Amino acid sequence: MATLTNNTTTWKQATTTNNTNTNALANLTAWADKQAPNRTLWFMVSLIAQGVLFLPVPAVLLFYFSAPIAVLAVTLSLFFANIIAGMGGAGIRTMLGIFAASVLVHILMVIAFII
């Protein structure tokens, strides 16, 4: 077998483009993927934030600002969606997305009924 040789292989370097125009969604998903080891921490943060900051919102809006009962349904559905996502083994992007949606919805509800 005189035809076998032990040559080192040289791989062509991957060409990278100078993409300075990265969008916010790519940056956000990259950050969310980096948070994957901290999934349990984000689950606890979302539960604490929901329980302390968002669950009292319907009580205030219903009793002081005459909001409809749908505010309570929205708040409880978002709260239980966070619990189910965290305990059901959802990915970090899903957990952070539901948490961010919950924050946004509650801010919009407060703005809509108070202001």
Side-chain angles (χ1 to χ4, degrees):
M1 294 270 164
T3 58
L4 292 177
T5 59
N6 194 7
N7 293 336
T8 59
T9 306
T10 56
W11 297 95
K12 182 180 176 184
Q13 289 288 338
T15 58
T16 59
T17 58
N18 252 348
N19 191 4
T20 57
N21 192 11
T22 58
N23 58 4
L25 182 61
N27 291 336
L28 183 65
T29 55
W31 176 80
D33 290 339
K34 289 179 193 173
Q35 296 299 316
N38 301 327
R39 222 177 112 245
T40 306
L41 174 70
W42 279 107
F43 176 55
M44 293 304 297
V45 166
S46 90
L47 284 184
I48 291 169
Q50 290 277 329
V52 172
L53 299 175
F54 301 145
L55 286 180
V57 167
V60 171
L61 292 179
L62 287 169
F63 293 117
Y64 295 113
F65 296 100
S66 301
I69 197 71
V71 170
L72 180 63
V74 168
T75 299
L76 288 178
S77 64
L78 288 171
F79 177 69
F80 287 121
N82 273 307
I83 290 176
I84 291 169
M87 293 179 72
I92 189 68
R93 288 184 188 179
T94 303
M95 286 180 52
L96 290 175
I98 291 174
F99 180 57
S102 179
V103 170
L104 183 66
V105 166
H106 281 91
I107 289 172
L108 289 175
M109 281 194 306
V110 166
I111 289 173
F113 289 108
I114 293 180
I115 295 178

